[in-house]
Amino acid sequence: MQGVALITGATSGFGAASARRLAADGWALIICGRRQERLDALAAELSPSTPVLALQLDVRDAAAVKRAIDDLPLEFGDIQLLVNNAGLALAPGPAQAVDLGDWHTMIDTNITGLVNVTHALLPRLIAWGAGASVINIGSTASGNPYPGSHVYGASKAFVQQFSFNLRCDLQGTGVRVTDLSPGIAETEFSLVRNAGNETAADAVYRDTVPLTAEDVAEQVAYIAALPAHMNINRMEVVPVRQAWGPYAIHREALSEEKKPEPA
């Protein structure tokens, strides 16, 4: 039996797949999310072979997060692994056309939520010591700008830098920190991003071979199982069909009065 792993955003996508994969490796699980019925279904699927605590939780609520962690049952108290997976993207249009509320929702979930959970769990992870891990689910969007990424990409850049800075502060405690950054992956992510528009969501994956949630969960399990003396600072995982593109160059015919003067 491994230690206890706490996974946020465990109701779908990478979170649910990570729960299944870690359960196969013998981890006890605290699965967190806002949709109780999905948590209950996942817990029922994994039990009785895996000890599972289904914890309905909104990571954006700092007081609720602290309460939930403080009130954990004794058998789930010794947490060795935190998978900060809860996050989302909204409003894939240009920044100037986006509702401000969507920006705040991404910041509150992807940044504030991750900070809330990490802060609440650090004492328990440090108490475990060598072999404890924080795996923050980032994104290739953290360093690769593209149209419509605006606050989403910026929030994942925060995840990357926060992971690196946390590594510095935890030096000497034995606690590892990894920024795990997937590329394009077929989950409910695009459906949420496109406000439930299935046609728009499906178009993201059309005629290509994206990652699956299970691909990413496999990397979570790999990082968690590393020997205690090893740390992966950042792991970027993309499908073979995803690579970098050229700079976007805006072109239009210029009138004589608009043409730049020769140097």
Side-chain angles (χ1 to χ4, degrees), residues 5-258:
L6 187 147
I7 306 170
T8 66
T11 55
S12 65
F14 301 155
S18 294
R20 295 184 178 100
R21 182 62 184 81
L22 292 173
D25 279 354
W27 288 84
L29 299 174
I30 304 170
I31 51 174
C32 305
R34 290 184 296 163
R35 293 173 286 188
Q36 185 69 58
E37 70 285 353
R38 289 203 179 190
L39 292 174
D40 291 342
L42 182 58
E45 173 191 333
L46 299 176
S47 297
S49 58
T50 300
V52 182
L53 175 64
L55 197 60
Q56 187 176 32
L57 188 63
D58 186 342
V59 297
R60 299 172 296 182
D61 186 336
V65 169
K66 185 177 186 309
R67 257 191 329 269
I69 300 306
D70 287 346
D71 294 342
L72 286 174
L74 188 61
E75 63 269 29
F76 289 96
D78 293 331
I79 296 173
Q80 181 183 353
L81 171 63
L82 166 60
V83 181
N84 272 317
N85 169 70
L88 78 168
L90 298 171
Q96 61 271 27
V98 169
D99 184 271
L100 179 60
D102 287 336
W103 280 5
H104 280 282
T105 298
M106 287 186 279
I107 292 168
D108 291 344
T109 307
N110 300 356
I111 297 178
T112 305
L114 179 142
V115 166
N116 289 342
V117 176
T118 303
H119 189 269
L121 281 180
L122 277 180
R124 293 176 185 256
L125 293 164
I126 292 170
W128 183 282
S133 298
V134 178
I135 301 176
N136 294 324
I137 304 299
S139 170
T140 54
S142 66
N144 297 288
Y146 59 89
S149 183
H150 40 78
V151 165
Y152 173 70
S155 72
K156 291 303 184 178
F158 172 90
V159 172
Q160 176 179 316
Q161 193 62 33
F162 179 67
S163 300
F164 293 170
N165 291 343
L166 195 59
R167 266 277 285 142
C168 294
D169 290 341
L170 292 174
Q171 179 77 347
T173 67
V175 180
R176 287 104 47 105
V177 185
T178 300
D179 169 35
L180 173 55
S181 292
I184 183 173
E186 188 168 5
T187 65
E188 290 183 4
F189 176 88
S190 283
L191 191 63
V192 172
R193 189 174 207 177
N194 288 280
N197 184 329
E198 292 187 9
T199 301
D202 290 344
V204 175
Y205 312 112
R206 184 176 300 126
D207 299 328
T208 193
V209 183
L211 298 175
T212 66
E214 289 71 26
D215 292 331
V216 176
E218 195 65 38
Q219 310 319 309
V220 169
Y222 170 73
I223 294 166
L226 286 171
H229 70 284
M230 291 180 63
N231 190 96
I232 294 178
N233 294 329
R234 185 169 190 267
M235 178 187 285
E236 184 173 293
V237 183
V238 300
V240 171
R241 294 192 179 197
Q242 180 182 4
W244 303 276
Y247 279 110
I249 308 297
H250 176 71
R251 302 181 189 279
E252 65 176 340
L254 298 179
S255 62
E256 286 299 323
E257 62 269 20
K258 287 185 178 179

